[in-house]
Structure formats: C-alpha cells, structure tokens
Amino acid sequence: MAYDGFRESLFPTYSPPRLDFVEGRGAWLRTADGREFLDFIAGIAVNSLGHCHPRLVKTIQEQAGKLWHLSNMFDVPGQQELAALYCENSFADAVFFANSGTEAVECALKSARRFHYANGAPERVDIIGFDGAFHGRTYAAVNAAGNPKYVEGFGPRLPSYKQCAFAEIDAIERMIDEKTAAILVEPVQGEGGLRVLSPEQLTNLRTLCDKHGVLLIFDEVQCGAGRTGKLFAHQWAENATPDIMALAKGVGGGFPLGMCLATRAVAETMTVGTHGTTYGGNALAVAVGRAVLEEMISPGFMARVEEAAGLLRDGLEKIAARQPEKVVEVRGKGLLVGLQVRVANTAVRDAARDRNLLVGVAGGDVVRMAPPLIITDAEIARALVILDEAITATNLPEA
Ligand SMILES: *Cc1c(COP(=O)(O)O)cnc(C)c1O
C-alpha cells in the first residue's frame, strides 16, 4: 500500500474519493475549489433537513452557549421532553438515548433478552432476522445481521443469531422455538439493497410474534425519521407496531443521536444499572433532536415528502423504462429509493459524481438515493437528468 499523505494517518476502513467539501447548504455541497454538488445521499440518510438547516444551526448555537454535557448521572435537560414527544408520535412508552444506530440496536437486543429474563423465560435469547439485513458494526450487530463480509476475521460467530431468507414469513415462523426472544427486521432494508417489506408482511410478523410470545424489533435507523413519507416506515402498515424500535441517522439531522424506543412492558425491565452510556442523549444532541422532530411533525411536512418521493419515483420509473437493458427495477420506498442495475452500481455512482450528483450504492447491484427530505422539485428534476446520463455513460459488462 502506497501512502502519499492522503489519509495515511487514518485506518484504511474507508476509501473516499478525493473531494474536499468545505460547506453545505440544503441539498448542496461545495468544495474548496468552488464546485457545487447536488447531494442525493445526505450523509447516508442523516442530513434529513439538509445541510445547515437554519433552525438546527440556531438550536445548536443557542444550546452550545448554555450546556453541552452532564452524563447520565444527572437529569439531562431536554431528554424527557424529546422522549415524550417521540412517545406521543409512536407506539412507544419510553426511550433510551444513544449516539448511533448500532448502539440503538444494541439496546434493542439487550432489552429483548432482558424482557424475557424478567418474565421468567431466561432461555429466550435467540434473535431471528432476514438475509441482507444491516444493523451496524458492533459485534452483536454484525452477528445479528449475519453478513459474512462483516463477521469474517473477528473471531467466533456469536451464538443465538439466526437469519431467514428475505421476507419468507412462513419460514421465519418455522424457525421460532421456545428459545426465541425476538424477530429483528428493517421495514425497508437500507444497505441490503432497498428491499421493502409490504404492509401485509409487517402485519403478519406482528401476528406471528404475538402468537409465539416473541418480541418484534424494527430497525428503523435508516427508513425511519420521515424517510418514507411517514415518521416511521412501519406506520404504512395497519396493526404492525413493534415492541422495540431502533432509530438513528435522520433523527439527529447530522448530530450523532440514536434512540431505542420500547413499550412500557419492555422498558421497565431495563432497571437501574442494566444499561448505560456516557454521551448518549447529551444536552446538545437532544436539543437538535427535538428541533428535527418538531420540523418533521409540523403540518404539511410529511405530505411534501410523499409528493417529492412520488416525483422521484416517477422519474426513476421513466429511466428504468428508457434503459431496460441496464436497469432491472426501481427499489425502495419514499425518499429511500434507487435503481437495481445490470451495470456496476459503483460505476454509475462514480459517473454521477463526475457530473456533480452524489448518490450511494446498496446491496451489490443497487444505486441508492436518500436526498434530504426538504428536496425541491427542481433538484429532483436535475438529479434525474444526471442519473440518466450517468447510466447511459456506464457500459454493460462484456458478455
Ligand atoms: C446505518 C444503520 C445502522 C447503524 O448505524 P450507525 O449509526 O452507523 O451505527 C443500523 N441499522 C440500519 C438499518 C442502518 O441503516
């Protein structure tokens, strides 16, 4: 490996392109040499209100002049208020604040096991999920998702984590036994290729969890926070509320914030000392988190996300229809969408970037888009033109 001063002091875990972004506004990023990029990946579904949203800038500046951090050995101002607002707008009765998605998942997994332990079934420890899942990078999260690429080289696989073929509801029911603690799924798979569980599938999961005394955990780290046009993606389904839900990414709008939401029955088993975090839910994080949530639940916000999502999806369908030899189908839901392609998805991403549009990839053959939720019609139109050009410019692999 030749080191030439570019990132040589960093772990080589990432390989970003050489772009020196210095400023962001809304859906736009600017480099030091003045190039403007349209951002359709938004920090991987994180900058939900765009870059430097005026309300978030003001909120963080004001809070920064008052109080940053106490640790959870004291009552952090703003935590109860933000938690209560999330509970009002969800199935949940209580919230645990963390800093990231993988920590939110960690709390979800521990809470599920603890619930059974406290209810006289300590043998219920197994967690079952679907293939192609992604839950973050802690040891528990990579084992829960089971992606061989992310567990290789890190010692023995953790026991008690099982995967089922994607969306096979009957098969997952057959895997449930007296040792099962919970089913853990993403209502819309993010990293796994934007695969969506239908409302019926979500409802069926709820039904079978009830039938077998198993908890239902939704990982909405990527598809929550308004991404699909509802505050949470599972809200597209009737009667499919989880017992536990992990949130992060978009809920902090760019400030590190994760959350584990749960019903009272689950949360009350996580008694004093059973779990904790030093940073989680500090005063800065919950101040920003509250501003983000208040924007998202303001009148008309979700209707606009749905409208923008419809426009983007129509445009993607048109590209798919125009370039059927290269595009397999449109994937995803709301503003977490993309194209499954027969050309290299990374080549399309790079060709789009060469044309000043930033997109991501997912699942090996999907080009992923997750623009800020405040994206405008004009920005969507521009992105579609560039994406179409990028696909046109990308050659199919030779047969
Ligand atoms: C990104 C992601 C995570 C992990 O979040 P981090 O903040 O990177 O730890 C977990 N679950 C899903 C569905 C995600 O998309």
Side-chain angles (χ1 to χ4, degrees):
M1 171 71 95
Y3 293 107
D4 61 359
F6 181 63
R7 296 173 61 87
E8 67 189 9
S9 304
L10 298 171
F11 268 41
T13 43
Y14 312 109
S15 59
R18 292 198 175 206
L19 287 170
D20 46 356
F21 291 120
V22 290
E23 216 172 73
R25 280 287 178 282
W28 294 87
L29 282 168
R30 197 168 58 77
T31 58
D33 58 3
R35 279 179 296 157
E36 304 265 358
F37 287 75
L38 184 50
D39 185 3
F40 262 61
I41 192 63
I44 316 184
V46 166
N47 300 100
S48 43
L49 301 182
H51 298 277
C52 293
H53 188 282
R55 177 162 179 192
L56 299 195
V57 172
K58 186 160 172 277
T59 299
I60 205 163
Q61 283 173 343
E62 282 176 7
Q63 188 59 45
K66 278 194 232 161
L67 180 69
W68 294 24
H69 179 83
L70 286 168
S71 92
N72 289 294
M73 63 185 288
F74 300 106
D75 178 38
V76 177
Q79 276 192 1
Q80 165 59 28
E81 291 78 3
L82 179 58
L85 201 53
Y86 265 98
C87 292
E88 248 175 65
N89 285 281
S90 72
F91 72 95
D93 301 309
V95 176
F96 181 89
F97 288 111
N99 310 286
S100 65
T102 202
E103 287 171 279
V105 168
E106 180 81 9
C107 180
L109 295 169
K110 287 176 73 175
S111 299
R113 286 183 172 178
R114 185 80 189 177
F115 168 84
H116 291 295
Y117 169 86
N119 284 284
E123 69 286 357
R124 283 196 181 268
V125 293
D126 290 359
I127 310 286
I128 313 175
F130 286 136
D131 278 340
F134 182 79
H135 302 299
R137 299 295 199 137
T138 59
Y139 196 36
V142 292
N143 277 278
N147 183 337
K149 274 196 315 209
Y150 299 156
V151 291
E152 190 186 312
F154 300 113
R157 287 288 304 268
L158 288 180
S160 310
Y161 293 101
K162 298 174 180 173
Q163 288 83 36
C164 172
F166 178 77
E168 297 286 339
I169 307 292
D170 292 342
I172 211 169
E173 181 163 19
R174 285 194 299 274
M175 287 171 76
I176 293 174
D177 61 24
E178 66 290 341
K179 284 181 61 195
T180 307
I183 287 177
L184 165 63
V185 299
E186 298 154 85
V188 181
Q189 285 192 345
E191 310 299 310
L194 306 181
R195 290 188 295 183
V196 182
L197 290 175
S198 69
E200 302 90 283
Q201 287 167 330
L202 293 171
T203 305
N204 290 343
L205 284 174
R206 176 71 270 173
T207 306
L208 71 88
C209 283
D210 288 342
K211 181 168 148 200
H212 297 282
V214 165
L215 296 176
L216 181 59
I217 308 173
F218 286 152
D219 179 348
E220 293 225 19
V221 168
Q222 190 156 165
C223 62
R227 208 23 65 202
T228 67
K230 298 233 186 250
L231 193 52
F232 310 113
H234 73 264
Q235 291 173 330
W236 288 101
E238 301 276 324
N239 308 318
T241 57
D243 301 285
I244 306 173
M245 177 168 67
L247 295 177
K249 292 204 166 94
V251 295
F255 198 94
L257 176 63
M259 284 183 241
C260 178
L261 277 62
T263 60
R264 178 71 57 206
V266 171
E268 71 187 6
T269 67
M270 295 294 279
T271 50
V272 174
T274 53
H275 195 49
T277 161
T278 301
Y279 270 129
N282 85 5
L284 281 173
V286 294
V288 177
R290 178 156 180 184
V292 170
L293 180 58
E294 284 181 355
E295 284 294 315
M296 287 188 186
I297 60 177
S298 66
F301 188 93
M302 286 305 160
R304 169 57 204 168
V305 173
E306 251 196 279
E307 185 182 65
L311 205 61
L312 181 54
R313 190 168 195 104
D314 284 353
L316 291 172
E317 295 286 2
K318 282 185 188 131
I319 293 175
R322 258 199 309 278
Q323 307 210 48
E325 66 295 338
K326 291 183 182 174
V327 179
V328 183
E329 63 173 357
V330 180
R331 286 276 188 89
K333 193 165 179 71
L335 287 176
L336 183 57
V337 282
L339 296 173
Q340 186 189 14
V341 289
R342 290 189 190 91
V343 289
N345 59 352
T346 50
V348 175
R349 175 198 62 196
D350 295 352
R353 194 174 61 230
D354 291 343
R355 292 162 175 77
N356 291 28
L357 171 69
L358 304 175
V359 298
V361 292
D365 61 356
V366 173
V367 179
R368 170 171 39 166
M369 299 178 123
L373 305 183
I374 47 99
I375 200 78
T376 65
D377 290 1
E379 288 160 346
I380 290 170
R382 173 101 168 248
L384 286 165
V385 169
I386 299 176
L387 184 65
D388 198 11
E389 285 171 13
I391 293 169
T392 303
T394 306
N395 292 323
L396 283 161
E398 284 177 31

